[in-house]
Amino acid sequence: MEDEPPPSQGVSVKVLKATLLSALKMLDVGKWPIFSLCSQEELKLIRQACVFGSAGNEVLYATENDEVFVLGMNCSGCLGTGDMQSTIEPRRLDSLCGKKIACLSYGSGPHVVLATEEGEVYTWGHNAYSQLGNGTTNHGFIPCQVSTNLVNKKVIEVACGSHHSMVLTSDGEVYTWGYNNSGQVGSGSTANQPIPRRVTSCLQNKIVVNIACGQMCSMAVVENGEVYVWGYNGNGQLGLGSVCNQPTPCRIAALQGIRVQRVACGYAHTLVLTDEGQIYAWGANSYGQLEPDDHLTVAQSLKKEFDNPETADLKFLVDGKYIHVHKVLLKIRCEHFRSILNNDDEIIEMSEFSYPVYRAFLEYLYTDNIRLPPEDAIGLLDLATLYRENRLKKLCQQTIKHGICEENAIALLSAAVKYEAQDLEEFCFRFCINHLTVITQTQGFAEMDHDLLKNFISKASRVGAFRN
């Protein structure tokens, strides 16, 4: 098992931040980059929100009248919309409308586990390891209620590992299901668990008050402040003083005499908050995740994080219009900005490209997809080339290929030559040759650049386009 991944991979810390900030009454949805895709009218109606995903690129939110919407990327159906289409337009989840949402957790599979204030549990997304708890390995594209072994139980907290799930009931019981290669469901074996089953062993007669999941491990805090752990331990994330996996719950002896209130897990490290406001950490440390400032409370730590200039809201000014984006997102997603976002500027005027191009670029940052006509994709291809965004460049080329026709073929060929997209250039050239009679009569051909026309005729002659 590898050490902890960079911040742009693995389970997102943003989920924890969103939950804690909401509890502290500090959450302003306008601060989250994904909400830049919503109108001000839509933002005013939001009563509750959870940003999730490996880069904070998905969001589920409830409005004042308890309607539930999602937007963002849709990996493995993690938006629950019934398909796998990413969206920058809010889409309503009818199956959750009218239900008050209590908590939500995200597994990097990805899958989602949600509990309502009534204590019902809904799951959807990736399900190759039965992490949805429905007894199958079929992926779930819409939220479905999990009832097996949870009938008459009120769930008050949920947690997800990469491919396993855990819930806490109001009577202090813990239920787990899903992937179990390292004992993370706590059953004592390594067989996958397709439906929820109660975790017993050392927890049999104890009342649990808080739960958390790492990538392949699980944690529980009981009412007397003891912490019990189980699952994968290759990075010492269980805090047991070894790197051996633990198939059943085991108390952390090193915390003897310390009363823990809450536990939180990263990809391969663990933190706990004590009743005295102290934070203890252990596990993987390859990115300095075990070196917090001393004596900071959770609220102070979060405030410091969001006061950091590197996480501040940034505005692009393009054609007199503003586009909001987060500096951290740009640093993670776009190589071009990593070297220029080292100042405290709140507004950067962008003059190289048009507003629609930057708007499409923003959609790509949040959804990994683009939606625009092939002619407009030329400008985005220019931006992708300048910013060295190779994946975006390929998406632009695909869009152009799918949208080519006789009327725009010469313009698209010119763009491919200009931006040195050789594969696209060859594609456009072949299209022109196959439709040569019609294309030579278009306005685009008549206005063709002299050098490009010369090269086009020469190349067309070599492939026999002008033979009788």
Side-chain angles (χ1 to χ4, degrees), residues 22 41 74 113 131 159 180 188 190-191 221 255 310 316 322-323 347 350 368 387 396 399 401 414 431-432 444 457:
S22 179
E41 290 73 20
N74 198 15
V113 179
Q131 58 264 48
N180 193 37
T190 55
V221 180
L255 293 175
E310 289 190 349
F316 284 177
Y322 287 108
I323 301 178
I347 300 176
M350 314 300 287
D368 271 345
Y387 289 0
C396 292
T399 298
K401 287 180 179 181
S414 300
F431 182 91
C432 291
I457 293 175

Side-chain angles (χ1 to χ4, degrees), residues 48-82:
Q48 187 181 29
C50 184
V51 177
F52 59 97
S54 59
N57 287 339
E58 295 87 26
V59 64
L60 179 148
Y61 67 86
T63 63
E64 294 175 349
N65 59 354
D66 290 323
E67 288 188 310
V68 178
F69 294 88
V70 291
L71 74 155
M73 290 186 63
N74 198 15
C75 300
S76 297
C78 66
L79 291 185
T81 54

